[in-house]
Amino acid sequence: MKIQKYEIPDSGKTYKPAEPYLARVIENIRLTPEQSEDDVRNVILDLEGSGICYLEGQSVGVIPPGLQENGKPHRVRLYSIASSRTGDDGTSTTVTLCVKRVHFYNPETQSQVIGIASNYICDLKPGDRVPLIGPTGRTFFLPADDTTDLIMLAAGTGIAPFRAFINHIYKEKRTWNGKVRLFYGAKTGMESLYMNEKNSDIGQYMSLETFTAYRALSREDSPDGKRGFVQHRLAENKEEIWQMMNTGNFSLYICGMKGIELGAVEIFTQMAAAEGKDWAEIQKLFKEQGRWNIEVY
Ligand SMILES: Cc1cc2nc3c(=O)[nH]c(=O)nc-3n(C[C@H](O)[C@H](O)[C@H](O)COP(=O)(O)OP(=O)(O)OC[C@H]3O[C@@H](n4cnc5c(N)ncnc54)[C@H](O)[C@@H]3O)c2cc1C
């Protein structure tokens, strides 16, 4: 049976590239330590008067100013919304994004690649105006039934929609009693977005009975002395997760780099095979039911 999810309100306005909304920057704060090679920002934008209503799991598009080499405007880049529907300040007139500055050396072209939109956003100052489109996305939503178990897998900025989910269920809704399992990958503890000493927007819920976060640190030993990726933490807890997936009342979400999905599929394929089942068939059914939700980039 298809699970019922939250539905997009009819009343909200959607902006298109031809006529974007010029959102005002309220705040742009670095989430990663200064010495970290990764510059990840928490950016809050003012939507007051825009008529935009969004749901947790949606994205907005940003159009960087300027033109491409071919003279055409830059294309839209999407960013997952990291705040719940009422925004971080509860006014329903702001949206929060979690953006990583893209810059790397490309050995093929022997040149430094500076991501257009991410650098534009990471350099924004309070008061600046950002051409915004959306909100977009029609499926990556929470289930309407708050007894549903939630399984979330993310690394890096893939945490953004889960910050929105977790804020919604524990701060706004407050009646969620399904189990929530978050698997999250980062390089180090301080780079665990929203789960460190500097910002514990998600970390603050760790003591809740229904919520467990499993962190995989790839460049630092975690308190239990282990290093690894999301896939390793999932493998360690595969019996519980498989059990949740077999009770029928669950919804699973993967967000971030493509590799996380591949890692999870590998584990679920093994679990299914151990029971003489075909994961591809099971996954197809979960997809049809709206339980298998993927947003990788
Ligand atoms: C649905 C969706 C949600 C997204 N949510 C977020 C989010 O919450 N936060 C966020 O930071 N990004 C998110 N992204 C990615 C974002 O849309 C941009 O792709 C990213 O910021 C790079 O854009 P850019 O303009 O800076 O780089 P570009 O100028 O577009 O890219 C420069 C080059 O770098 C490559 N590249 C792009 N990203 C990376 C990377 N991470 N590592 C290595 N090479 C890369 C590109 O293929 C390209 O060749 C999301 C993407 C999608 C589709």
Side-chain angles (χ1 to χ4, degrees):
M1 204 179 63
K2 208 170 165 60
I3 58 170
Q4 206 197 332
K5 293 190 181 160
Y6 279 131
E7 286 175 18
I8 304 170
D10 292 333
S11 53
K13 197 166 167 188
T14 305
Y15 287 81
K16 302 262 179 330
E19 219 176 316
Y21 175 69
L22 289 180
R24 188 177 57 88
V25 178
I26 297 175
E27 195 179 281
N28 177 357
I29 289 178
R30 184 169 167 138
L31 291 169
T32 42
E34 283 304 323
Q35 65 273 22
S36 163
E37 66 192 36
D38 291 339
D39 180 6
V40 182
R41 303 280 171 146
N42 190 68
V43 180
I44 306 180
L45 304 174
D46 186 3
L47 303 178
E48 185 149 25
S50 67
I52 292 175
C53 296
Y54 60 84
L55 278 188
E56 304 78 24
Q58 287 195 293
S59 302
V60 287
V62 169
I63 310 177
L67 300 173
Q68 301 180 57
E69 277 172 13
N70 61 11
K72 289 188 180 161
H74 285 298
R75 61 179 175 81
V76 171
R77 268 67 159 191
L78 294 178
Y79 294 91
S80 305
I81 294 175
S83 46
S84 55
R85 63 192 73 185
T86 61
D88 289 344
D89 60 359
T91 61
S92 302
T93 59
T94 67
V95 68
T96 302
L97 306 180
C98 174
V99 180
K100 180 181 166 186
R101 190 186 290 277
V102 170
H103 64 104
F104 58 94
Y105 182 73
N106 183 343
E108 277 172 31
T109 56
Q110 296 195 351
S111 62
Q112 199 68 25
V113 180
I114 310 283
I116 306 281
S118 61
N119 279 272
Y120 163 64
I121 298 169
C122 290
D123 288 337
L124 287 168
K125 305 272 177 301
D128 287 348
R129 296 278 176 172
V130 183
L132 211 68
I133 66 134
T136 67
R138 311 192 69 82
T139 56
F140 202 86
F141 295 148
L142 282 166
D145 173 3
D146 59 12
T147 66
T148 311
D149 292 336
L150 305 176
I151 304 160
M152 308 173 192
L153 277 67
T157 54
I159 197 69
F162 303 143
R163 177 180 183 268
F165 283 3
I166 289 166
N167 272 339
H168 176 67
I169 64 178
Y170 292 134
K171 197 168 86 179
E172 290 171 353
K173 197 162 167 76
R174 291 168 176 261
T175 51
W176 202 273
N177 60 16
K179 290 181 208 143
V180 180
R181 298 291 178 264
L182 170 67
F183 291 86
Y184 180 62
K187 285 178 188 157
T188 65
M190 276 309 285
E191 285 162 306
S192 299
L193 306 175
Y194 308 114
M195 278 175 268
N196 61 33
E197 297 140 35
K198 204 171 148 193
N199 182 316
S200 69
D201 290 356
I202 293 178
Q204 63 178 310
Y205 300 114
M206 300 265 191
S207 58
L208 292 180
E209 211 179 298
T210 52
F211 180 54
T212 310
Y214 299 101
R215 278 198 295 169
L217 303 180
S218 59
R219 296 205 190 156
E220 191 178 276
D221 289 342
S222 53
D224 59 8
K226 292 178 192 158
R227 272 181 205 216
F229 297 100
V230 168
Q231 185 178 357
H232 300 123
R233 285 287 176 278
L234 183 61
E236 286 161 17
N237 296 282
K238 60 188 179 189
E239 274 81 20
E240 188 202 14
I241 300 302
W242 191 245
Q243 165 72 25
M244 284 163 93
M245 290 165 74
N246 281 288
T247 62
N249 192 17
F250 80 98
S251 193
L252 181 144
Y253 304 84
I254 301 180
C255 186
M257 290 170 295
K258 287 192 182 73
I260 308 180
E261 183 185 2
L262 300 177
V265 163
E266 204 180 302
I267 292 165
F268 296 142
T269 304
Q270 289 164 11
M271 297 303 280
E275 294 177 2
K277 294 177 188 161
D278 177 8
W279 167 250
E281 284 294 311
I282 300 173
Q283 185 180 331
K284 190 168 163 262
L285 184 70
F286 287 165
K287 260 189 203 166
E288 284 164 8
Q289 294 175 337
R291 301 182 193 280
W292 181 261
N293 305 283
I294 311 292
E295 191 136 287
V296 288
Y297 46 88

